[in-house]
Amino acid sequence: MEKDSKKGTGEPGEDQRGAGSLVSGMWHPANRRNTFSLTVPMSKQHCQLDSQETNGKKPIVSSTSDFSDPVYKEIAVTNGYINRMSKEELRAKLSEFKLETRGVKDVLKKRLKNYYKKEKLTQQREDGVIADGYYDYICVIDFEATCEEGNPPEFTHEIIEFPIVLLNTHTLEIEDTFQQYVRPEINTQLSDFCISLTGITQDMVDRAATFPQVLRNVVEWMKLKELGTTYKYSILTDGSWDMSKFLNIQCQISRLRYPSFAKKWINIRKSYGNFYKVPRNQTKLTIMLEKLGMSYDGRPHSGLDDSKNIARIAVRMLRDGCELRVNEKMHGGQLTSVSSSSPVEGAPAPQMPHFRN
């Protein structure tokens, strides 16, 4: 379900005039790893990376005040050069490295910068300087809920579709999906508006189980995937509402405690806005797809189709060098932000929550 809920700080070398001192203004493949190099004077070049650009990882530094390691100086100067490339030059360079060439100019710049940055830092990781502790899987969840036209404030939303798309972060492939419809208990009759919007019919929900049973099925499915035991994982949503509103309200209706495995998640709208430096009004699902050079695939407001399209965005962002990480959580029943400097921690193994007294 599409929900309506800053520009981040600059890139290292975002506006460095020192990049104008390139010997030839060209870069080239350096070896079989498809890295590329610059021929530039490196003296007196300094840069700083904000917490979003370092993705919360401790940078490789010689002091606590600046990034004096030569790898960061090289990244900074490269970024300055990329900023001066035309859209055609960006596409040509991306094509040379067999990278995706679709998207608006800012997306292409970000893609090329992060490819270079990833290649340089991978060398450091292989030397044991950076530890690799990222999620093995991302569970994309986009609920559909009962609704009425205009959504009057007194209306109680109940989850009527529970989809999960299991994204393997190593292969960047959708490995499996889960989908079950849910029978509402308060507004048992779906409005014509809801049926038209979601494509979910009255017969579908009448034949479905109530939420506690569906949640039990979700937990069993996630256990079969060994999430939280063998594999590290996180939940990802399109906005805050799925977990902070829909799941929270549904647990109250069903007299269930809020499930511990869903208390933290990745809000991809926040991640997208911070990574590509776009304002909040450009982070709706269809706009994110469009800016990345993709179109919606499937039926809008189908929970499963929405989740698959959100996963497509996540894949593109991961390929562009973004380390998607938890940025929101439920704490004391309230929505709270999670700092980008927090460690990458996987969600706990799923357990069926207890009923409230």
Side-chain angles (χ1 to χ4, degrees), residues 36-228:
F36 43 86
S37 61
L38 286 170
T39 307
V40 295
M42 299 305 295
S43 60
K44 298 184 181 179
Q45 294 283 349
H46 295 280
C47 68
Q48 291 199 342
L49 305 177
D50 63 21
S51 60
Q52 291 167 352
E53 289 302 319
T54 59
N55 293 319
K57 288 182 178 176
K58 186 176 180 181
I60 308 163
V61 293
S62 299
S63 71
T64 58
S65 59
D66 85 18
F67 291 80
S68 55
D69 190 282
V71 68
Y72 284 103
K73 297 178 182 179
E74 188 173 343
I75 290 170
V77 177
T78 302
N79 286 347
Y81 176 60
I82 293 173
N83 286 336
R84 290 160 177 77
M85 296 177 74
S86 68
K87 191 171 184 179
E88 291 71 25
E89 289 172 329
L90 290 165
R91 282 179 170 164
K93 188 56 62 177
L94 288 165
S95 177
E96 181 179 328
F97 294 112
K98 296 180 171 57
L99 300 174
E100 177 60 61
T101 59
R102 292 177 295 177
V104 297
K105 185 177 180 181
D106 285 345
V107 167
L108 300 181
K109 285 196 296 184
K110 189 73 175 182
R111 186 171 299 147
L112 195 53
K113 288 177 185 179
N114 279 281
Y115 173 77
Y116 180 69
K117 178 181 175 182
K118 183 178 179 181
E119 289 295 320
K120 297 302 293 183
L121 295 184
T122 295
Q123 297 171 18
Q124 303 290 330
R125 183 175 287 110
E126 289 174 349
D127 292 338
V129 180
I130 300 175
D132 189 7
Y134 194 60
Y135 315 113
D136 298 300
Y137 288 97
I138 289 175
C139 292
V140 183
I141 298 176
D142 193 81
F143 296 124
E144 294 304 316
T146 55
C147 53
E148 288 187 348
E149 192 166 9
N151 278 331
E154 69 277 6
F155 185 81
T156 301
H157 298 279
E158 298 174 82
I159 292 173
I160 55 175
E161 182 185 356
F162 200 135
I164 306 176
V165 168
L166 187 65
L167 175 63
N168 186 317
T169 64
H170 302 288
T171 64
L172 297 183
E173 298 285 341
I174 292 175
E175 196 163 292
D176 204 353
T177 63
F178 174 96
Q179 180 194 39
Q180 285 191 5
Y181 297 108
V182 185
R183 185 169 77 247
E185 298 181 74
I186 296 177
N187 297 298
T188 57
Q189 291 295 122
L190 302 182
S191 67
D192 291 340
F193 174 78
C194 184
I195 293 171
S196 175
L197 180 72
T198 65
I200 299 171
T201 66
Q202 187 65 48
D203 184 57
M204 288 177 180
V205 296
D206 285 345
R207 291 187 287 109
T210 57
F211 183 78
Q213 182 57 54
V214 172
L215 182 59
R216 191 170 286 109
N217 297 342
V218 166
V219 168
E220 290 306 312
W221 183 83
M222 294 176 74
K223 284 181 176 179
L224 285 174
K225 302 299 177 184
E226 301 181 87
L227 300 177

Side-chain angles (χ1 to χ4, degrees), residues 134-135 138 236 266 268 271 314 317-318 322-326:
Y134 194 60
Y135 315 113
I138 289 175
L236 181 147
I266 301 163
I268 198 169
S271 302
M317 292 180 68
L318 289 167
C322 177
E323 187 183 70
L324 293 165
R325 55 191 298 142
V326 165

